[in-house]
Amino acid sequence: MANHKSSEKRIRQTKTRTLHNKYYAKTMRNAVRKLRATTDKAEATEMLPKVQKMLDKLAKRNIIHKNKAANLKSGLALHVNSL
C-alpha cells in the first residue's frame, strides 16, 4: 500500500487514465474491425478518413504506438483499395 500522499494520488490518477485510454483503444479497435468487415466500396471509402484520423489522434496522445497506427492505416488503405 502507498505510504505517501503523492503516491496515493498517483495511483488514483493512473487508474483514471488507464480507464480513459482503454475506452479509446477499444473504440479504435471496433472501428477498425467494422471497416475491415465492410464489403461496400463507397461505404468503406467514406469510413477510411474517419478511422485514419482516429488512429492519428491516438498515436499523437501515446495511447497506441505511432508505428502501430501507421501499420493499421496502411493495411486499411490496402483493404479499401482492393474492394
Side-chain angles (χ1 to χ4, degrees):
M1 191 60 215
N3 292 320
H4 299 281
K5 236 180 177 173
S6 61
S7 57
E8 288 173 353
K9 181 178 178 180
R10 179 64 53 209
I11 290 168
R12 287 195 311 270
Q13 286 177 331
T14 303
K15 197 182 302 183
T16 305
R17 286 193 185 121
T18 301
L19 273 174
H20 182 262
N21 291 345
K22 272 186 182 177
Y23 168 78
Y24 283 104
K26 184 68 173 176
T27 304
M28 177 267 303
R29 282 197 302 273
N30 287 338
V32 168
R33 227 177 261 133
K34 187 176 177 185
L35 180 56
R36 282 204 178 116
T38 304
T39 54
D40 181 32
K41 175 126 177 135
E43 188 181 341
T45 307
E46 185 183 316
M47 286 172 62
L48 183 63
K50 293 175 186 169
V51 175
Q52 285 180 335
K53 183 178 179 182
M54 184 188 299
L55 289 167
D56 286 335
K57 277 186 180 178
L58 293 178
K60 183 176 82 175
R61 295 179 183 151
N62 288 322
I63 295 173
I64 60 172
H65 195 274
K66 63 177 183 158
N67 291 355
K68 180 181 178 72
N71 286 332
L72 285 171
K73 284 167 55 178
S74 163
L76 291 172
L78 283 172
H79 170 70
V80 170
N81 288 334
S82 69
L83 289 177

